[in-house]
Amino acid sequence: MTTILDGKTCADKILDNIKEQVSKLDTTPGLAVILVGNNPASSIYVKNKEKKAQYAGFNSIIHKLPKNTTKESLLNLIEKLNKDCNIDGILLQLPLPKHLNTYDFLDKIDPKKDVDGFHPINAGKLLLNEKPYAIPCTPKGIIRLLKTHNIQIEGKNAVIIGRSNIVGKPLSMLLLNENATVTIAHSKTKNLPEITKKADILISATGTENMVTAEMVKKNATIIDVGIIRKDDGKLRGDVDFDAIKDVASNITPVPGGIGPMTIAMLMENTLELHLLKTRTKE
Ligand code: GUN
């Protein structure tokens, strides 16, 4: 029988737990999200993050900047937020408009407020298996969902399709730190089905519909779908041909209701952790 890995239920439990912890604090965690331009998908993600931050009891601030924002004004805002003692987490929503270079900004965020874990110091700590201030939310959410369902990672063949800095690369480090044998496949990989067929845990993070078909999946594998594709009818699809694969796999995440909610829950967890780090180091 196939288990549907219900990320929504798991994420709701995590959020309720965060909300309860926050209600017992004398202080309020603060999350600042910066959205540059009007990418429709980013606007939806940011709205969802704001909703959950408010639910958790955080101080949630969205900074919406116009598409033609200059490098200087974005750097000024980051600097201001770095200094703001009411803000524990700073998230710069990606992608940025083309005239702005992502790493000109990500490495200016204080690593102790880098709620995405994208700063080179946090990425380096993850690489070295030293505790980063924050771990990237989507990879962290994937590991959490696997562990919540008691899916063994150690010694398993994990194949990731996609080598992004947001998902594929940090996830490869987390899986390696959990003692999986990790393969990263990408757009130039040859004989992809041959590789994916060996996966005990297969993670697809490409944003391409039907990237993973039933013929590419080993029987009883665990399938994690990170893709979020919005169709013309407004419905969301993932990378994985869910209907064809659900009877081959032993565990599979749905889209929506799988990794998406887990990502947001991990963002809230990271914000709370950074807040507690700040307040406890002050004591
Ligand atoms: N865009 C898509 N996913 C993410 C994410 O996890 N963090 C940020 N900052 N931008 C994103």
Side-chain angles (χ1 to χ4, degrees), residues 256-269:
I259 298 306
M262 289 302 293
T263 296
I264 298 188
M266 293 300 103
L267 173 64
M268 302 310 144
E269 187 175 273

Side-chain angles (χ1 to χ4, degrees), residues 158-162 168 171-172 175 182-186 201-205:
V159 175
I160 305 166
I161 313 176
L171 178 60
S172 70
L175 288 165
V182 183
T183 304
I184 309 180
H186 48 79
I201 303 171
L202 176 61
I203 304 105
S204 186

Side-chain angles (χ1 to χ4, degrees), residues 33-34 42 45 49 90-95 106 115-116 118 136-139 166-167 263 267:
V33 175
I34 308 171
S42 293
Y45 297 152
K49 287 169 187 175
I90 304 170
L91 183 144
L92 177 60
Q93 185 66 33
L94 302 176
L106 290 184
V115 74
D116 261 323
F118 292 164
C137 303
T138 301
I166 296 180
V167 182
T263 296
L267 173 64

Side-chain angles (χ1 to χ4, degrees), residues 242-256:
F242 183 92
D243 290 334
I245 288 174
K246 74 175 183 338
D247 299 321
V248 184
S250 63
N251 304 290
I252 187 165
T253 59
V255 177

Side-chain angles (χ1 to χ4, degrees), residues 11-220:
D12 284 347
K13 280 190 197 147
I14 293 166
L15 284 169
D16 282 337
N17 182 275
I18 293 171
K19 184 184 168 88
E20 195 189 335
Q21 286 186 66
V22 171
S23 72
K24 291 178 185 155
L25 295 174
D26 301 327
T27 50
T28 307
L31 174 63
V33 175
I34 308 171
L35 175 63
V36 187
N38 42 20
N39 178 316
S42 293
S43 300
I44 295 172
Y45 297 152
V46 166
K47 211 171 273 170
N48 288 338
K49 287 169 187 175
E50 183 181 28
K51 247 190 347 210
K52 298 299 179 191
Q54 287 170 347
Y55 177 80
F58 295 171
N59 180 18
S60 166
I61 297 164
I62 312 290
H63 291 271
K64 285 190 185 161
L65 303 182
K67 193 174 168 192
N68 61 358
T69 294
T70 61
K71 178 176 175 181
E72 192 187 11
S73 62
L74 183 51
L75 287 175
N76 284 341
L77 175 60
I78 290 171
E79 193 47 37
K80 196 173 105 199
L81 294 169
N82 280 340
K83 288 186 183 142
D84 186 341
C85 56
N86 293 314
I87 294 299
D88 301 291
I90 304 170
L91 183 144
L92 177 60
Q93 185 66 33
L94 302 176
L96 293 175
K98 283 204 170 63
H99 68 284
L100 299 172
N101 175 24
T102 305
Y103 278 89
D104 285 344
F105 304 99
L106 290 184
D107 66 2
K108 302 300 185 301
I109 295 174
D110 180 344
K112 291 186 180 172
K113 293 192 177 191
D114 170 33
V115 74
D116 261 323
F118 292 164
H119 189 284
I121 286 190
N122 285 320
K125 282 176 179 282
L126 186 64
L127 179 79
L128 299 171
N129 203 6
E130 290 288 327
K131 201 173 177 312
Y133 294 111
I135 293 171
C137 303
T138 301
K140 189 183 185 191
I142 292 169
I143 300 289
R144 181 68 57 82
L145 195 62
L146 292 173
K147 288 192 171 179
T148 302
H149 288 84
N150 295 317
I151 294 165
Q152 193 183 336
I153 303 174
E154 182 165 312
K156 297 295 179 186
N157 280 332
V159 175
I160 305 166
I161 313 176
R163 56 178 156 180
S164 71
N165 292 334
I166 296 180
V167 182
K169 284 188 216 166
L171 178 60
S172 70
M173 291 303 134
L174 287 177
L175 288 165
L176 202 54
N177 294 344
E178 295 287 340
N179 299 313
T181 302
V182 183
T183 304
I184 309 180
H186 48 79
S187 54
K188 301 287 186 288
T189 296
K190 302 248 186 344
N191 300 326
L192 182 62
E194 208 173 279
I195 294 167
T196 57
K197 271 251 176 213
K198 295 193 176 127
D200 302 305
I201 303 171
L202 176 61
I203 304 105
S204 186
T206 69
T208 309
E209 200 174 1
N210 290 328
M211 183 74 219
V212 179
T213 57
E215 303 74 53
M216 295 167 70
V217 170
K218 175 170 149 178
K219 189 147 180 57
N220 292 329

